Amino acid sequence: MRLRTVFLLKYAFTHDCSKHTYFMSTTIDLHCHSTISDGLYSPEQLVAYAHQQGIKVLALTDHDDMGGLHVARAAAEQRGMQFINGVEISVTWKKRTIHIVGLKVDPEYAPLKSALAEVREGRLARAKLIAEGLEAVGLEGCFEGAQAIADSSILTRSHFARYLVEAGYVKDVKTVFKKYMTKGKPGFVEHEWMPLAQAVGLIKDSGGTAVIAHPGRYDLGRTNMHLLMHEFRKHGGEAIEVVTGSHTPPQYQQFAVMAHKFSLKASLGSDFHGPGMSYIEMGRIADLPRNCVPVWQDWAEAAYLQEKQAN
Ligand code: AMP
Ligand code: MN
Ligand code: MN
Ligand code: MN
């Protein structure tokens, strides 16, 4: 019998597959963005929206910036919601960009703050090169345009994409990424982000939990995916996103199995950026498959979810 068949049979006997339903939405969301990075809502608006969507435990995870956490926490507490300090760090691993979410990080932890400030400086230099690439193919005013949309926040590819749509150059954001902002296209710039070990180390040292964001989105192949999981765990990483707006339902199960295989916990988040800017709306995301250990297992903030599970 082939190895894969043996594994599948073993899996079928050790897990109750009938319990894997994905249509039930949940009240926890551990991944979303505000105007501090490339989201459309301010931290306060985002919390108000999450509340309206029925979210009870919320983590704000802006790209490379913890600047929205204090305001978001105050807004969440005012509404009786549980708030989790978060961040999504851009990382380079084997020449690829990987995102590492930090949950329960300390926004005042100086080494993490200064390392993120360095990443943001790198973003500014990268943005100038992106603008040059776009201008070389006749798209004008890109740097100033993207900066006007970003206001005082970091510059991301999303801001360039929004500028190109608003300026009438391209019909929608999705098309901008396809035509201009992905590998090999005029607005794509190879960039060196934070090393994996540093990102995981800083998250942990600040008291937080490191999570691999949307693993299904990286074009890694089986060997490299396993190597990533292994290295991440060796550095002290604790969880991977299993249910995310970036995964398909078959990927929920695929990464639930992967989490189990590498003794990693499972996280869940919409990756919401704003209405119409996300694959999924907040509060409409599926629950974790039952065979996962939730990353919030020991969190006081999510105690009510444990009670729900026990019932
Ligand atoms: P950056 O960190 O500057 O490379 O920007 C990455 C951000 O661009 C991601 O966090 C997404 O919000 C957005 N993004 C990436 N790929 C796409 C895509 N194909 N369509 C729409 N937005 C995308
Ligand atoms: Mn983003
Ligand atoms: Mn991401
Ligand atoms: Mn994200």
Side-chain angles (χ1 to χ4, degrees):
M1 213 178 324
R2 290 174 57 202
L3 250 179
R4 190 177 148 74
T5 316
V6 172
F7 175 76
L8 285 175
L9 277 175
K10 182 167 168 255
Y11 182 78
F13 284 116
T14 50
H15 296 76
D16 182 356
C17 296
S18 64
K19 286 181 180 165
H20 300 152
T21 48
Y22 304 114
F23 41 80
M24 195 174 82
S25 68
T26 180
T27 52
I28 186 163
D29 195 325
L30 300 177
H31 187 150
C32 63
H33 298 270
S34 75
T35 46
I36 294 294
S37 62
D38 56 349
L40 293 184
Y41 290 154
S42 71
E44 281 140 318
Q45 289 170 329
L46 185 73
V47 168
Y49 177 76
H51 184 248
Q52 188 192 312
Q53 296 296 103
I55 299 299
K56 293 189 164 59
V57 184
L58 179 73
L60 173 62
T61 55
D62 275 309
H63 297 287
D64 309 314
D65 202 323
M66 302 187 289
L69 298 180
H70 286 301
V71 168
R73 172 174 293 280
E77 286 175 357
Q78 215 176 35
R79 290 175 173 80
M81 295 161 71
Q82 297 289 341
F83 186 75
I84 308 294
N85 290 326
V87 65
E88 181 175 17
I89 305 182
S90 310
V91 158
T92 296
W93 181 76
K94 280 182 153 250
K95 297 199 160 74
R96 292 168 169 91
T97 301
I98 302 285
H99 288 173
I100 301 294
V101 162
L103 298 174
K104 290 181 158 263
V105 288
D106 176 1
E108 300 311 323
Y109 182 61
L112 177 56
K113 271 170 81 172
S114 63
L116 291 178
E118 225 176 278
V119 175
R120 294 196 295 273
E121 263 175 49
R123 273 192 178 275
L124 189 60
R126 170 194 188 233
K128 286 177 183 154
L129 296 175
I130 289 177
E132 278 175 23
L134 294 172
E135 273 160 40
V137 293
L139 304 167
E140 285 165 19
C142 290
F143 188 80
E144 294 73 20
Q147 203 164 41
I149 292 171
D151 199 3
S152 58
S153 84
I154 58 165
L155 274 168
T156 71
R157 282 184 293 161
S158 306
H159 296 109
F160 283 99
R162 282 165 60 195
Y163 166 71
L164 290 176
V165 173
E166 281 177 28
Y169 281 119
V170 187
K171 71 172 190 308
D172 58 33
V173 162
K174 204 174 149 204
T175 311
V176 180
F177 272 91
K178 218 165 129 187
K179 275 182 79 175
Y180 295 109
M181 311 289 309
T182 43
K183 211 175 173 95
K185 301 293 158 67
F188 186 82
V189 171
E190 294 287 352
H191 188 71
E192 194 69 26
W193 302 104
M194 196 187 287
L196 178 68
Q198 188 187 2
V200 175
L202 285 168
I203 289 168
K204 269 190 83 70
D205 292 346
S206 86
T209 300
V211 183
I212 300 178
H214 41 65
R217 239 172 60 188
Y218 313 126
D219 201 11
L220 282 181
R222 193 181 151 85
T223 306
N224 273 330
M225 181 64 82
H226 286 193
L227 193 62
L228 172 65
M229 298 286 154
H230 177 75
E231 280 190 26
F232 172 70
R233 197 163 182 279
K234 195 181 72 191
H235 295 312
E238 290 175 59
I240 62 173
E241 285 183 348
V242 167
V243 173
T244 136
S246 302
H247 284 175
T248 59
Q251 284 179 316
Y252 302 163
Q253 197 48 47
Q254 181 194 339
F255 286 102
V257 171
M258 184 97 68
H260 187 255
K261 188 178 163 111
F262 287 89
S263 302
L264 292 161
K265 293 179 183 167
S267 191
L268 177 160
S270 60
D271 208 352
F272 180 77
H273 283 70
M277 265 193 69
S278 300
Y279 303 107
I280 199 149
E281 296 301 308
M282 237 184 208
R284 297 281 175 276
I285 192 159
D287 216 339
L288 282 183
R290 302 266 176 116
N291 52 336
C292 292
V293 179
V295 67
W296 58 84
Q297 190 183 33
D298 306 317
W299 295 1
E301 293 90 340
Y304 85 96
L305 284 168
Q306 305 302 335
E307 283 159 25
K308 197 182 84 178
Q309 269 183 351
N311 291 335

